[in-house]
Amino acid sequence: MARINDNFLKLRAGYLFPEIGRRVATFAKAHPEIAPRIIRCGIGDVTEPLPQVAIEAMHQAVDDQSRHETFHGYGPEQGYEWLREAIATVSYQGRGVQVEADEIYVSDGAKCDTGNILDIFGNDNVVAVPDPVYPVYVDTNVMQGNTGEAQDNGSYAGLVYLPCTPENGFVAQVPDQHVDLIYLCFPNNPTGAVATSEQLKKWVDYALQNHAIILYDGAYEAFITDPSIPSSIYAIPGARRCAIEFRSFSKQGGFTGVRCGYIVIPHELTGKDAAGNDIAISKLWGRRHTTKFNGASYIVQRGAAALFTPEGQHQTRALIDHYLGNAKLLSEACQHVGLQVWGGTNAPYVWVQTPAGMGSWELFDKLLQEANLVITPGAGFGAHGEGFFRISAFNSRANVEEACKRLVACLKG
Ligand SMILES: *Cc1c(COP(=O)(O)O)cnc(C)c1O
C-alpha cells in the first residue's frame, strides 16, 4: 500500500492564481466578444523581451554545444565559477557587501530554492511568515509538515503570522515570542514595501539573540532606486551569521521563462543538530544541492553572466526602468480616484486600499466585469491582505496606459 504525504491534504484547494484563472475564464466564456479586451495586471510575470546581451550570449552558448572543442556536458552543480564570480563581484562586493563566489549556489530559480531549503531544516522549528505573504513560503511549510490544519481565515495552525499593515508600513515587526525560521522579502511581493537598514537591523539582532535563521528573499532587489535602502541583508552587520539570501534573474533580467536564480549561504552560518552542536548550513545545502540537482543549464548560465557586463547592466537598468515607469502610472491612476497607495517606487507592485467597505474579491469582480482588468485580490495573500489589492507593473506601456484609463473610469466617484 503506497501511502501519500498526508500534509498535502491540508493545503487549501483554491490557490490564489488558479482561482483568478477560473474567474477570468468564466467571464471570458460568458462574454467572448469582450475577452480580447481583458488586460492582465494580476500574475507577476514579466512581459518584455530579454536584454540583447543575454540573447547573444545564449545564441553563442548554443553554438558552443555544436562543437567538440566547446561542448559542455554536466557542469558544476553549484554553478559555473565565471557566473558565481560575476555575481559576487558585481552584485555584492561592488556594493560594499561581503559575499564570496563559493558561498553562491546557482539554481533554476528562487521559487524552487525557497521551497527546497526546508529539506535541510528539522520539523520542530517555529516558522514565522509575513502576512500578506508570497504563498510559496506557506504552502511549502504545509507540505513539509511544519503546520497544523488550515483555519477558516485561510491561516494555518502552528505558523507565526507577522501582520504587515499600513501602521507598520507593511514591514513586519519582530515578534515578542521565540521563532526559529523567519521569511522576509524586500522589496516585497505583494506590497512593494522596502525595509530600511534600521528595520533590518532589528531582525538581524532578533535572529542572533534567538539563534534563528532569516530566509531573505531578494528577488526584487534590482528594483530598489532609493540609495539608502539596503540591496542585501548582508549589508547589515551580523547578517552573515543568521541569514540565507535568495535571488533570481526572473524579474531582474526578464528570465521567468529562461529559469535561473541563486542562493547565498555564508561560511559562518550554522544551525544546531539534535545534540546541540553547531553545524555549517553550507555543508548541508552543498550536500542537498549536489545530490538532488545537476546544475542549471550551461546556456542559461551564459545568458545570466552576460547581465553582469557593463552593457548588460545598462540593458537591465533600462528594463527595470520600464517596469518602474509603469508602476508610477498605475500608482498615480489609483491616487487620482482617491485610493491610498503603497509600493511602486522600489518594486514592480502597487499595493492599493480597496474603496471603502469593499472586499478584495468583490473589487476583483468589479474590475474584471466593468473594466475588463485583472488585478490580484489582497485576501489571496493572507488574512491581512483583505481590504487591499495588488496591481502588477509587468506589462507593456500601452497596456498600462489603457489600464490606467479604465481604472479611473471604473472607480471614480
Ligand atoms: C517571482 C518571485 C521569485 C522568483 O521566482 P523564480 O522561481 O526565480 O522565477 C521569488 N520570490 C518572490 C517573492 C517572487 O515574487
Side-chain angles (χ1 to χ4, degrees):
M1 183 175 64
R3 282 274 283 112
I4 56 121
N5 176 350
D6 285 295
N7 295 313
F8 278 64
L9 305 181
K10 295 180 196 160
L11 291 165
R12 301 253 303 186
Y15 177 69
L16 174 60
F17 293 106
E19 176 60 23
I20 291 177
R22 267 192 296 279
R23 292 194 190 204
V24 174
T26 306
F27 177 75
K29 202 164 164 218
H31 307 277
E33 72 293 352
I34 298 179
R37 230 178 90 81
I38 296 173
I39 298 179
R40 289 175 170 76
C41 306
I43 293 187
D45 193 3
V46 299
T47 56
E48 303 307 291
L50 296 179
Q52 195 57 32
V53 288
I55 298 288
E56 283 162 16
M58 287 194 283
H59 277 157
Q60 176 62 50
V62 170
D63 288 342
D64 288 349
Q65 298 296 64
S66 72
R67 291 184 301 273
H68 278 107
E69 306 76 56
T70 51
F71 173 78
H72 287 72
Y74 289 127
E77 289 100 338
Q78 198 177 337
Y80 283 100
E81 175 86 25
W82 34 261
L83 175 56
R84 289 184 290 107
E85 277 295 342
I87 295 167
T89 52
V90 178
S91 272
Y92 290 102
Q93 294 158 16
R95 299 183 195 161
V97 175
Q98 185 201 347
V99 166
E100 308 300 330
D102 64 355
E103 296 174 319
I104 295 170
Y105 300 77
V106 176
S107 71
D108 57 357
K111 188 188 206 177
C112 316
D113 285 339
T114 53
N116 289 336
I117 197 72
L118 293 176
D119 276 6
I120 62 166
F121 291 107
N123 278 44
D124 40 9
N125 289 306
V126 180
V127 180
V129 294
D131 178 9
V133 64
Y134 178 54
V136 175
Y137 311 150
V138 172
D139 289 0
T140 52
N141 272 286
V142 176
M143 293 170 180
Q144 190 83 1
N146 291 349
T147 75
E149 298 295 330
Q151 295 158 334
D152 286 343
N153 68 357
S155 303
Y156 288 90
L159 286 182
V160 174
Y161 288 87
L162 307 167
C164 300
T165 62
E167 289 69 40
N168 60 29
F170 297 98
V171 176
Q173 304 297 291
V174 299
D176 46 22
Q177 71 179 97
H178 171 86
V179 303
D180 303 294
L181 292 178
I182 303 144
Y183 289 84
L184 293 179
C185 173
F186 295 110
N188 188 261
N189 178 11
T191 67
V194 288
T196 63
S197 299
E198 294 71 38
Q199 289 168 324
L200 289 180
K201 182 174 183 304
K202 285 189 185 145
W203 276 110
V204 169
D205 291 347
Y206 173 91
L208 291 172
Q209 271 159 23
N210 284 273
H211 299 286
I213 290 183
I214 297 171
L215 304 173
Y216 192 82
D217 188 340
Y220 296 94
E221 159 271 324
F223 288 83
I224 296 174
T225 52
D226 180 343
S228 75
I229 298 295
S231 63
S232 164
I233 186 76
Y234 303 121
I236 311 302
R240 289 179 53 86
R241 287 182 285 127
C242 66
I244 294 174
E245 185 158 284
F246 301 85
R247 291 262 185 104
S248 170
F249 296 100
S250 283
K251 317 299 161 43
Q252 171 179 2
F255 270 39
T256 55
V258 178
R259 310 305 308 141
C260 197
Y262 58 95
I263 171 173
V264 178
I265 304 186
H267 296 310
E268 50 267 59
L269 183 68
T270 59
K272 297 278 186 204
D273 70 7
N277 303 305
D278 287 321
I279 306 291
I281 296 293
S282 59
K283 210 171 112 187
L284 299 185
W285 183 251
R287 191 73 171 87
R288 191 266 167 215
H289 197 66
T290 52
T291 301
K292 292 197 181 180
F293 188 62
N294 243 340
S297 139
Y298 167 71
I299 296 161
V300 163
Q301 290 188 67
R302 280 288 182 207
L307 301 176
F308 292 98
T309 60
E311 188 56 19
Q313 292 282 287
H314 182 72
Q315 292 176 10
T316 304
R317 193 68 248 158
L319 188 61
I320 287 168
D321 286 345
H322 164 80
Y323 292 127
L324 286 174
N326 287 349
K328 183 163 189 281
L329 293 174
L330 290 162
S331 180
E332 285 166 358
C334 292
Q335 284 169 318
H336 185 73
V337 291
L339 299 179
Q340 218 183 334
V341 171
W342 294 266
T345 50
N346 294 292
Y349 298 119
V350 182
W351 184 248
V352 192
Q353 195 148 33
T354 56
M358 202 182 270
S360 62
W361 278 108
E362 194 187 339
L363 179 92
F364 172 90
D365 289 332
K366 180 180 168 72
L367 284 175
L368 175 61
Q369 286 157 20
E370 296 173 20
N372 313 132
L373 284 181
V374 182
I375 51 84
T376 316
F381 296 107
H384 282 88
E386 183 52 283
F388 301 90
F389 63 102
R390 187 191 78 173
I391 315 181
S392 163
F394 290 122
N395 229 320
S396 66
R397 185 56 53 85
N399 270 354
V400 165
E401 284 170 351
E402 176 64 20
C404 287
K405 270 190 220 151
R406 292 193 206 165
L407 251 174
V408 170
C410 182
L411 296 179
K412 74 162 180 268

